Amino acid sequence: MHPELKKLIETHDNIVFFGGAGVSTESGIPDFRSPDGLYSRKDFKYSPETMLSHSFYEAHTDEFFDFYRSFSLAPNNGPSCAHKKLAELEAQGKLKAVITQNIDGLHQMAGSKRVFELHGSVLRNYCTQCGTFYDLDFIAGTSGIPRCPKDNAVVKPDVVLYEESLDSTTLIESVRAIEAADMMIVAGTSLVVYPAAGLLDYFKGDTLVLINKEATPRDGKADLVIHAGIGETLCGD
Protein backbone atom coordinates (compact mmCIF):
# COMPACT_ATOMS: atom_id res chain seq x y z
CA MET A 1 0.00 0.00 0.00
CA HIS A 2 1.10 3.58 -0.64
CA PRO A 3 3.05 4.47 2.55
CA GLU A 4 1.39 7.85 3.20
CA LEU A 5 -2.07 6.37 2.66
CA LYS A 6 -1.24 3.47 4.98
CA LYS A 7 -0.28 5.91 7.78
CA LEU A 8 -3.51 7.86 7.35
CA ILE A 9 -5.65 4.70 7.45
CA GLU A 10 -3.90 3.61 10.65
CA THR A 11 -4.91 6.84 12.39
CA HIS A 12 -8.55 6.92 11.27
CA ASP A 13 -11.48 4.67 12.18
CA ASN A 14 -14.42 6.13 10.27
CA ILE A 15 -13.38 6.00 6.62
CA VAL A 16 -15.67 6.25 3.62
CA PHE A 17 -14.59 5.17 0.15
CA PHE A 18 -16.10 6.84 -2.92
CA GLY A 19 -15.27 5.16 -6.22
CA GLY A 20 -15.84 5.62 -9.92
CA ALA A 21 -15.19 3.68 -13.11
CA GLY A 22 -11.43 3.51 -12.53
CA VAL A 23 -12.04 1.07 -9.69
CA SER A 24 -13.58 -1.46 -12.08
CA THR A 25 -11.33 -1.05 -15.12
CA GLU A 26 -8.75 -3.22 -13.36
CA SER A 27 -11.35 -6.00 -13.45
CA GLY A 28 -11.55 -5.66 -17.23
CA ILE A 29 -14.71 -3.52 -17.29
CA PRO A 30 -14.42 -0.57 -19.70
CA ASP A 31 -15.12 2.89 -18.40
CA PHE A 32 -17.02 5.55 -20.33
CA ARG A 33 -14.67 8.42 -21.02
CA SER A 34 -11.19 6.94 -21.60
CA PRO A 35 -9.84 6.42 -25.15
CA ASP A 36 -10.87 2.76 -24.91
CA GLY A 37 -14.14 3.46 -23.11
CA LEU A 38 -17.75 3.05 -24.16
CA TYR A 39 -18.00 6.60 -25.49
CA SER A 40 -15.32 5.90 -28.11
CA ARG A 41 -17.17 2.94 -29.63
CA LYS A 42 -18.22 3.32 -33.25
CA ASP A 43 -20.24 0.11 -33.73
CA PHE A 44 -23.60 1.66 -32.81
CA LYS A 45 -25.41 4.34 -34.78
CA TYR A 46 -26.14 6.39 -31.68
CA SER A 47 -23.75 7.56 -28.97
CA PRO A 48 -23.63 5.44 -25.80
CA GLU A 49 -24.75 8.47 -23.81
CA THR A 50 -27.87 8.70 -25.99
CA MET A 51 -28.58 4.97 -25.77
CA LEU A 52 -28.28 5.01 -21.98
CA SER A 53 -30.91 7.73 -21.61
CA HIS A 54 -34.45 7.27 -20.34
CA SER A 55 -35.92 8.81 -23.49
CA PHE A 56 -34.00 6.38 -25.72
CA TYR A 57 -35.13 3.47 -23.51
CA GLU A 58 -38.73 4.57 -23.99
CA ALA A 59 -38.52 5.30 -27.74
CA HIS A 60 -36.10 2.57 -28.90
CA THR A 61 -36.45 -0.16 -26.28
CA ASP A 62 -35.17 -2.97 -28.48
CA GLU A 63 -32.03 -1.05 -29.48
CA PHE A 64 -31.51 -0.02 -25.85
CA PHE A 65 -31.36 -3.67 -24.80
CA ASP A 66 -29.02 -4.59 -27.64
CA PHE A 67 -26.57 -2.02 -26.35
CA TYR A 68 -27.24 -2.80 -22.69
CA ARG A 69 -26.39 -6.47 -23.21
CA SER A 70 -23.19 -5.56 -25.06
CA PHE A 71 -21.59 -4.17 -21.92
CA SER A 72 -23.59 -5.60 -19.00
CA LEU A 73 -22.90 -9.15 -20.16
CA ALA A 74 -19.29 -8.51 -21.15
CA PRO A 75 -16.92 -10.85 -19.30
CA ASN A 76 -14.86 -9.42 -16.48
CA ASN A 77 -12.13 -10.74 -14.23
CA GLY A 78 -14.15 -10.55 -11.03
CA PRO A 79 -13.22 -8.41 -8.01
CA SER A 80 -9.75 -6.90 -8.19
CA CYS A 81 -7.17 -6.67 -5.44
CA ALA A 82 -8.52 -3.18 -4.68
CA HIS A 83 -12.08 -4.46 -4.22
CA LYS A 84 -10.79 -7.13 -1.85
CA LYS A 85 -8.61 -4.70 0.10
CA LEU A 86 -11.61 -2.44 0.72
CA ALA A 87 -13.59 -5.42 2.01
CA GLU A 88 -10.68 -6.20 4.36
CA LEU A 89 -10.65 -2.64 5.69
CA GLU A 90 -14.38 -2.90 6.39
CA ALA A 91 -13.89 -6.21 8.22
CA GLN A 92 -11.21 -4.53 10.34
CA GLY A 93 -13.69 -1.82 11.35
CA LYS A 94 -11.79 0.94 9.56
CA LEU A 95 -13.99 1.42 6.50
CA LYS A 96 -17.63 2.24 7.28
CA ALA A 97 -19.08 2.47 3.77
CA VAL A 98 -18.36 2.12 0.07
CA ILE A 99 -20.16 4.56 -2.20
CA THR A 100 -19.85 3.60 -5.85
CA GLN A 101 -20.86 4.99 -9.22
CA ASN A 102 -20.32 1.53 -10.74
CA ILE A 103 -23.13 -0.88 -11.58
CA ASP A 104 -21.19 -4.16 -11.66
CA GLY A 105 -21.67 -5.45 -8.10
CA LEU A 106 -17.96 -6.22 -7.70
CA HIS A 107 -17.68 -4.64 -4.25
CA GLN A 108 -20.27 -7.05 -2.86
CA MET A 109 -18.62 -9.99 -4.65
CA ALA A 110 -15.37 -9.05 -2.91
CA GLY A 111 -17.09 -9.16 0.48
CA SER A 112 -18.03 -5.54 1.19
CA LYS A 113 -21.24 -5.37 3.22
CA ARG A 114 -22.20 -1.69 3.35
CA VAL A 115 -22.27 -0.57 -0.28
CA PHE A 116 -24.30 2.32 -1.65
CA GLU A 117 -24.76 1.97 -5.42
CA LEU A 118 -25.56 5.46 -6.70
CA HIS A 119 -26.34 4.25 -10.21
CA GLY A 120 -27.93 0.89 -9.39
CA SER A 121 -26.72 -2.53 -10.51
CA VAL A 122 -26.89 -4.70 -13.63
CA LEU A 123 -27.37 -7.65 -11.26
CA ARG A 124 -30.88 -6.45 -10.42
CA ASN A 125 -33.70 -6.29 -12.96
CA TYR A 126 -37.40 -5.81 -12.28
CA CYS A 127 -40.67 -6.38 -14.07
CA THR A 128 -42.12 -2.92 -14.68
CA GLN A 129 -45.62 -4.22 -13.90
CA CYS A 130 -45.52 -6.80 -11.10
CA GLY A 131 -42.08 -5.97 -9.67
CA THR A 132 -40.72 -9.53 -9.84
CA PHE A 133 -36.93 -9.60 -9.49
CA TYR A 134 -34.74 -11.12 -12.19
CA ASP A 135 -30.98 -11.54 -12.17
CA LEU A 136 -28.49 -10.88 -14.97
CA ASP A 137 -28.71 -14.49 -16.16
CA PHE A 138 -32.34 -13.89 -17.03
CA ILE A 139 -31.37 -10.94 -19.24
CA ALA A 140 -28.63 -13.05 -20.81
CA GLY A 141 -31.13 -15.77 -21.66
CA THR A 142 -33.43 -13.44 -23.58
CA SER A 143 -33.17 -11.66 -26.91
CA GLY A 144 -34.81 -8.43 -27.98
CA ILE A 145 -36.86 -6.87 -25.20
CA PRO A 146 -36.82 -9.04 -22.04
CA ARG A 147 -40.33 -9.68 -20.80
CA CYS A 148 -41.70 -11.04 -17.56
CA PRO A 149 -43.05 -14.61 -17.95
CA LYS A 150 -45.90 -13.71 -15.58
CA ASP A 151 -47.44 -10.72 -17.33
CA ASN A 152 -45.34 -10.06 -20.46
CA ALA A 153 -44.30 -6.61 -19.19
CA VAL A 154 -40.80 -5.28 -19.86
CA VAL A 155 -38.09 -6.31 -17.40
CA LYS A 156 -36.06 -3.13 -16.77
CA PRO A 157 -32.54 -3.02 -15.35
CA ASP A 158 -32.25 -1.42 -11.92
CA VAL A 159 -29.74 1.12 -13.21
CA VAL A 160 -30.07 4.89 -13.24
CA LEU A 161 -30.24 6.07 -16.84
CA TYR A 162 -29.43 9.57 -18.04
CA GLU A 163 -32.45 11.84 -17.37
CA GLU A 164 -33.43 9.70 -14.37
CA SER A 165 -32.97 10.75 -10.75
CA LEU A 166 -30.70 8.95 -8.32
CA ASP A 167 -32.51 6.86 -5.72
CA SER A 168 -33.29 9.23 -2.85
CA THR A 169 -32.73 6.65 -0.09
CA THR A 170 -29.32 5.68 -1.47
CA LEU A 171 -28.39 9.35 -1.77
CA ILE A 172 -29.48 10.18 1.79
CA GLU A 173 -27.61 7.20 3.27
CA SER A 174 -24.49 8.14 1.28
CA VAL A 175 -24.62 11.71 2.55
CA ARG A 176 -25.02 10.49 6.15
CA ALA A 177 -22.00 8.20 5.82
CA ILE A 178 -19.88 11.00 4.35
CA GLU A 179 -20.94 13.53 7.00
CA ALA A 180 -19.96 11.09 9.76
CA ALA A 181 -16.59 10.16 8.26
CA ASP A 182 -13.26 11.40 9.60
CA MET A 183 -11.48 10.35 6.39
CA MET A 184 -12.65 10.02 2.81
CA ILE A 185 -10.86 8.17 0.03
CA VAL A 186 -12.00 9.10 -3.48
CA ALA A 187 -10.67 6.91 -6.30
CA GLY A 188 -11.04 6.21 -9.99
CA THR A 189 -13.32 9.11 -10.80
CA SER A 190 -12.82 12.33 -12.74
CA LEU A 191 -15.26 14.10 -10.39
CA VAL A 192 -17.05 15.80 -13.27
CA VAL A 193 -20.36 13.90 -13.21
CA TYR A 194 -23.01 15.45 -10.98
CA PRO A 195 -24.82 14.98 -8.69
CA ALA A 196 -22.43 12.22 -7.62
CA ALA A 197 -19.33 14.47 -7.59
CA GLY A 198 -21.19 16.95 -5.38
CA LEU A 199 -21.27 14.42 -2.55
CA LEU A 200 -17.76 15.52 -1.57
CA ASP A 201 -19.25 18.81 -0.41
CA TYR A 202 -20.80 16.98 2.56
CA PHE A 203 -17.45 15.77 3.89
CA LYS A 204 -16.58 17.44 7.22
CA GLY A 205 -13.70 15.19 8.28
CA ASP A 206 -10.03 16.08 8.53
CA THR A 207 -8.48 14.00 5.74
CA LEU A 208 -9.42 13.82 2.06
CA VAL A 209 -7.46 11.47 -0.21
CA LEU A 210 -7.81 11.53 -4.02
CA ILE A 211 -6.52 8.61 -6.10
CA ASN A 212 -6.84 8.98 -9.86
CA LYS A 213 -4.52 8.58 -12.83
CA GLU A 214 -5.41 12.06 -14.09
CA ALA A 215 -5.84 15.31 -12.18
CA THR A 216 -9.34 16.16 -10.90
CA PRO A 217 -11.03 19.50 -10.13
CA ARG A 218 -10.72 18.70 -6.41
CA ASP A 219 -6.98 17.96 -6.25
CA GLY A 220 -6.26 21.35 -4.68
CA LYS A 221 -8.56 20.62 -1.74
CA ALA A 222 -7.17 17.17 -0.91
CA ASP A 223 -4.73 16.34 1.88
CA LEU A 224 -3.14 13.60 -0.21
CA VAL A 225 -3.26 13.27 -4.00
CA ILE A 226 -2.02 10.09 -5.68
CA HIS A 227 -1.92 10.06 -9.47
CA ALA A 228 -1.88 6.30 -9.96
CA GLY A 229 -4.21 3.34 -10.34
CA ILE A 230 -6.27 2.18 -7.38
CA GLY A 231 -4.78 -1.32 -7.48
CA GLU A 232 -1.15 -0.28 -7.24
CA THR A 233 -2.05 2.29 -4.56
CA LEU A 234 -3.99 -0.05 -2.26
CA CYS A 235 -2.25 -3.33 -2.97
CA GLY A 236 1.32 -2.49 -3.98
CA ASP A 237 4.29 -2.99 -1.70
Side-chain angles (χ1 to χ4, degrees), residues 18-194:
F18 177 85
V23 179
S24 290
T25 52
E26 295 176 12
S27 292
I29 295 175
D31 64 6
F32 282 72
R33 290 173 174 78
S34 74
D36 299 318
L38 283 175
Y39 285 178
S40 64
R41 288 181 58 169
K42 308 295 184 190
D43 50 339
F44 288 93
K45 58 182 178 180
Y46 303 97
S47 72
E49 201 160 12
T50 296
M51 288 189 286
L52 289 175
S53 67
H54 180 81
S55 53
F56 189 86
Y57 165 80
E58 292 287 350
H60 306 277
T61 311
D62 51 348
E63 289 177 277
F64 167 85
F65 278 104
D66 283 345
F67 178 67
Y68 178 73
R69 286 188 185 90
S70 76
F71 71 87
S72 67
L73 298 175
N76 66 69
N77 306 322
S80 68
C81 170
H83 290 107
K84 294 171 185 173
K85 188 66 179 179
L86 291 168
E88 282 177 29
L89 290 172
E90 183 184 29
Q92 292 166 12
K94 290 282 186 181
L95 186 70
K96 303 303 184 186
V98 168
I99 302 166
T100 180
Q101 294 173 273
N102 299 325
I103 57 175
D104 47 53
L106 290 175
H107 284 292
Q108 292 93 326
M109 291 181 208
S112 290
K113 306 295 185 194
R114 194 168 184 231
V115 181
F116 299 117
E117 296 171 308
L118 294 176
H119 297 150
S121 172
V122 298
L123 305 182
R124 298 188 301 269
N125 305 273
Y126 294 94
C127 172
T128 52
Q129 187 159 304
C130 70
T132 300
F133 164 85
Y134 294 98
D135 60 16
L136 192 56
D137 288 340
F138 174 83
I139 300 293
T142 62
S143 59
I145 301 172
R147 295 191 176 275
C148 177
K150 297 179 180 179
D151 52 30
N152 205 41
V154 178
V155 174
K156 186 178 185 291
D158 185 20
V159 298
V160 180
L161 303 176
Y162 291 105
E163 304 163 353
E164 293 181 345
S165 301
L166 301 187
D167 177 73
S168 58
T169 301
T170 303
L171 209 50
I172 290 167
E173 291 297 320
S174 298
V175 167
R176 283 178 179 160
I178 291 170
E179 287 180 330
D182 57 9
M183 177 176 172
M184 189 170 178
I185 302 172
V186 181
T189 173
S190 57
L191 292 175
V192 296
V193 177
Y194 282 79

Side-chain angles (χ1 to χ4, degrees), residues 211-234:
I211 306 166
N212 199 51
K213 289 181 179 179
E214 290 82 34
T216 79
R218 302 290 185 114
D219 282 11
K221 296 185 177 181
D223 300 282
L224 174 62
V225 177
I226 303 170
H227 286 156
I230 181 69
E232 60 185 294
T233 302
L234 284 184

